[in-house]
Amino acid sequence: MAKKTYIGDADSLAALVKKMYLGVGTESGGIINVGVARKVKKLYIGDPNGVAKLVFQSEKDPGSVSISPTSIILNGSTLSKIITVSRLGSGAITAKSSNTSVATVSVSSTRVTVKSVDYTSGTATITITVAEDDDYKQVSVTCPITADFSIEYYGTTSEDIGYRHYTAAASIGDYALFGGGSTGDSIRDDVYAYNSSLTRSTATEMGQPKFQHAASSNGVYALFGGGSYDFGVSRTSSTVYAYDKSLTMTRTSSNLIGSGYDLLAAAAFGDYVLFGGGSRFSSSSTGYRSNIDIYDKTLTKRVASLSVARDNLAAASNSSYVLFGGGDNGNLVDTVEAYDTSLTRTIPTALSSSRYGLSAARAGDYIMFYGGGDYVDMYNKSLTRSFISQKAYHGSAGVTYNNHAVFAGGTTLSSKPTSYSSVISFDSSLTMMTLANLASSAGYLGAAIAGEFLLFGGGGKGLQTSGANSGTVSVYTMS
């Protein structure tokens, strides 16, 4: 096979032929009409045996590719972007991301779709390649990506939720629900719902007033369970109320085990909502709870148990485990218990310090325990623990928002408690950011998500300090 062809006359050196054009003409009445010359890609000549052999192959032209846009910024309002590719020829288009933890790519014809990954901030470079074809060489172009997901203060809702301390909150559909709580003088049974436009409506009230209760959502129901219905001893509640996406309320047929408990923790894990721990005081005894009541999407209940009974604990989950950590049972507790998808219990490394009144949320794959002391403990999907030193107060609200763990407010525990308005967040790489403060300082407040908005509402300073409790709802959004 001839790889190169040279042509020369008697008086010159032969020159390498890189391109060859042939034109086909016609003759009519002695007049020759010259046709359009076309590029010869390959030229074959037959040998005496009739076998055609390649004697010339044209050199390919340099490829050319252009893209629009030439750079991309991903943020809360732009989670994905399409790059339009223009090229010479018909070479196949492929694309690759240099950092798939920040941005991924897919190709359809001449369109490259770039998508953010779990609201992760960072940078990536997308390399778009057009393969060679019969006429053009392979060519590539790059597009820089900047992903910047930051949480910003948006304002307050036009209507608040009224004074309520030790409220509970959960999300269902596009609604953020705040239910129950203490005014200091009375206990509430009403439930306010904020939609994705931040318009407030009133859902069906719970069948029993509650404070110091817990709430979470499995995507079908937002469940409010446990708590106290009066300020006296032995006034704990075992009822669980479920709200669906239309805000229809159902009382579950199966109550929490026993006569009810307050100061318990709740977390969603796959199809389940789990209520764990808590306590019930009477005039003669103090009972700390080790039960875990588990409700699925049909509100069918099953049970498990903690290895250490306690109240004032916290719970959160990732895709592998739900963790219960910290608490108080007359002594401060540092135990952390992990349950996998089959609800098999594992005891990972304890918290860096024993504490109670803490909160928990997920940042990326990490479950974080915040508050009640001077450390933030973080557990990954392998249950490996790390921690940082960070002063945090009792009774902060913890919530997972767009793959970030956000913690807000808190209070000191003393005869003259002080509440705080600080808000911090951790992204999936555990980078900590200090956000704008809450509109009103508060501890033991609630947190829930309505559409694109994160809401913090209620809370106060002291357990029964009349007039010191907050009804303000502070709103944050991701930019």
mmCIF file of all heavy atoms in Angstrom, residues 94-110:
data_model
loop_
_atom_site.group_PDB
_atom_site.id
_atom_site.type_symbol
_atom_site.label_atom_id
_atom_site.label_comp_id
_atom_site.label_asym_id
_atom_site.label_seq_id
_atom_site.Cartn_x
_atom_site.Cartn_y
_atom_site.Cartn_z
ATOM 1 N N THR A 94 -17.711 13.576 22.154
ATOM 2 C CA THR A 94 -17.660 13.018 23.500
ATOM 3 C C THR A 94 -17.269 14.132 24.469
ATOM 4 O O THR A 94 -16.729 15.163 24.064
ATOM 5 C CB THR A 94 -16.650 11.865 23.612
ATOM 6 O OG1 THR A 94 -15.341 12.340 23.205
ATOM 7 C CG2 THR A 94 -17.053 10.705 22.723
ATOM 8 N N ALA A 95 -17.559 13.920 25.750
ATOM 9 C CA ALA A 95 -17.236 14.930 26.763
ATOM 10 C C ALA A 95 -16.829 14.233 28.045
ATOM 11 O O ALA A 95 -17.313 13.143 28.373
ATOM 12 C CB ALA A 95 -18.422 15.853 26.997
ATOM 13 N N LYS A 96 -15.963 14.888 28.815
ATOM 14 C CA LYS A 96 -15.461 14.327 30.065
ATOM 15 C C LYS A 96 -15.272 15.445 31.076
ATOM 16 O O LYS A 96 -14.782 16.528 30.734
ATOM 17 C CB LYS A 96 -14.142 13.591 29.827
ATOM 18 C CG LYS A 96 -13.596 12.889 31.056
ATOM 19 C CD LYS A 96 -12.318 12.120 30.722
ATOM 20 C CE LYS A 96 -11.791 11.396 31.946
ATOM 21 N NZ LYS A 96 -10.550 10.633 31.635
ATOM 22 N N SER A 97 -15.659 15.165 32.335
ATOM 23 C CA SER A 97 -15.468 16.127 33.420
ATOM 24 C C SER A 97 -14.209 15.778 34.193
ATOM 25 O O SER A 97 -13.954 14.612 34.498
ATOM 26 C CB SER A 97 -16.670 16.120 34.354
ATOM 27 O OG SER A 97 -16.411 16.890 35.514
ATOM 28 N N SER A 98 -13.447 16.805 34.547
ATOM 29 C CA SER A 98 -12.229 16.575 35.329
ATOM 30 C C SER A 98 -12.524 16.362 36.804
ATOM 31 O O SER A 98 -11.662 15.901 37.559
ATOM 32 C CB SER A 98 -11.277 17.769 35.179
ATOM 33 O OG SER A 98 -11.841 18.933 35.775
ATOM 34 N N ASN A 99 -13.748 16.694 37.237
ATOM 35 C CA ASN A 99 -14.102 16.577 38.651
ATOM 36 C C ASN A 99 -15.566 16.168 38.751
ATOM 37 O O ASN A 99 -16.465 17.015 38.805
ATOM 38 C CB ASN A 99 -13.856 17.909 39.374
ATOM 39 C CG ASN A 99 -13.986 17.781 40.887
ATOM 40 O OD1 ASN A 99 -14.463 16.774 41.395
ATOM 41 N ND2 ASN A 99 -13.579 18.818 41.606
ATOM 42 N N THR A 100 -15.809 14.864 38.770
ATOM 43 C CA THR A 100 -17.185 14.370 38.758
ATOM 44 C C THR A 100 -17.877 14.515 40.111
ATOM 45 O O THR A 100 -19.058 14.225 40.229
ATOM 46 C CB THR A 100 -17.223 12.896 38.334
ATOM 47 O OG1 THR A 100 -16.350 12.131 39.181
ATOM 48 C CG2 THR A 100 -16.786 12.740 36.879
ATOM 49 N N SER A 101 -17.163 14.962 41.135
ATOM 50 C CA SER A 101 -17.824 15.274 42.400
ATOM 51 C C SER A 101 -18.455 16.661 42.363
ATOM 52 O O SER A 101 -19.270 16.990 43.228
ATOM 53 C CB SER A 101 -16.834 15.182 43.559
ATOM 54 O OG SER A 101 -15.823 16.172 43.451
ATOM 55 N N VAL A 102 -18.098 17.450 41.373
ATOM 56 C CA VAL A 102 -18.660 18.798 41.207
ATOM 57 C C VAL A 102 -19.633 18.856 40.046
ATOM 58 O O VAL A 102 -20.728 19.434 40.156
ATOM 59 C CB VAL A 102 -17.533 19.833 41.008
ATOM 60 C CG1 VAL A 102 -18.096 21.203 40.596
ATOM 61 C CG2 VAL A 102 -16.712 19.970 42.275
ATOM 62 N N ALA A 103 -19.267 18.263 38.901
ATOM 63 C CA ALA A 103 -20.116 18.344 37.712
ATOM 64 C C ALA A 103 -19.979 17.074 36.887
ATOM 65 O O ALA A 103 -18.879 16.525 36.744
ATOM 66 C CB ALA A 103 -19.739 19.552 36.868
ATOM 67 N N THR A 104 -21.095 16.612 36.327
ATOM 68 C CA THR A 104 -21.100 15.474 35.413
ATOM 69 C C THR A 104 -21.587 15.942 34.053
ATOM 70 O O THR A 104 -22.201 17.006 33.914
ATOM 71 C CB THR A 104 -22.014 14.353 35.922
ATOM 72 O OG1 THR A 104 -23.359 14.862 36.053
ATOM 73 C CG2 THR A 104 -21.532 13.831 37.257
ATOM 74 N N VAL A 105 -21.316 15.115 33.020
ATOM 75 C CA VAL A 105 -21.691 15.494 31.655
ATOM 76 C C VAL A 105 -22.370 14.326 30.953
ATOM 77 O O VAL A 105 -22.136 13.159 31.279
ATOM 78 C CB VAL A 105 -20.463 15.930 30.829
ATOM 79 C CG1 VAL A 105 -19.904 17.235 31.324
ATOM 80 C CG2 VAL A 105 -19.389 14.849 30.808
ATOM 81 N N SER A 106 -23.213 14.673 30.007
ATOM 82 C CA SER A 106 -23.806 13.692 29.105
ATOM 83 C C SER A 106 -23.922 14.353 27.736
ATOM 84 O O SER A 106 -24.004 15.574 27.619
ATOM 85 C CB SER A 106 -25.183 13.238 29.608
ATOM 86 O OG SER A 106 -26.075 14.338 29.695
ATOM 87 N N VAL A 107 -23.926 13.516 26.676
ATOM 88 C CA VAL A 107 -23.916 14.023 25.301
ATOM 89 C C VAL A 107 -25.111 13.473 24.543
ATOM 90 O O VAL A 107 -25.402 12.267 24.608
ATOM 91 C CB VAL A 107 -22.615 13.639 24.573
ATOM 92 C CG1 VAL A 107 -22.625 14.157 23.135
ATOM 93 C CG2 VAL A 107 -21.402 14.167 25.327
ATOM 94 N N SER A 108 -25.802 14.332 23.852
ATOM 95 C CA SER A 108 -26.869 13.942 22.934
ATOM 96 C C SER A 108 -26.712 14.764 21.670
ATOM 97 O O SER A 108 -26.905 15.987 21.684
ATOM 98 C CB SER A 108 -28.244 14.178 23.562
ATOM 99 O OG SER A 108 -29.273 13.873 22.651
ATOM 100 N N SER A 109 -26.294 14.088 20.580
ATOM 101 C CA SER A 109 -26.047 14.767 19.300
ATOM 102 C C SER A 109 -25.008 15.858 19.500
ATOM 103 O O SER A 109 -23.887 15.573 19.906
ATOM 104 C CB SER A 109 -27.359 15.315 18.744
ATOM 105 O OG SER A 109 -27.168 15.861 17.462
ATOM 106 N N THR A 110 -25.356 17.112 19.262
ATOM 107 C CA THR A 110 -24.410 18.227 19.392
ATOM 108 C C THR A 110 -24.649 19.020 20.676
ATOM 109 O O THR A 110 -24.229 20.163 20.784
ATOM 110 C CB THR A 110 -24.509 19.157 18.185
ATOM 111 O OG1 THR A 110 -25.852 19.663 18.089
ATOM 112 C CG2 THR A 110 -24.132 18.440 16.900
#
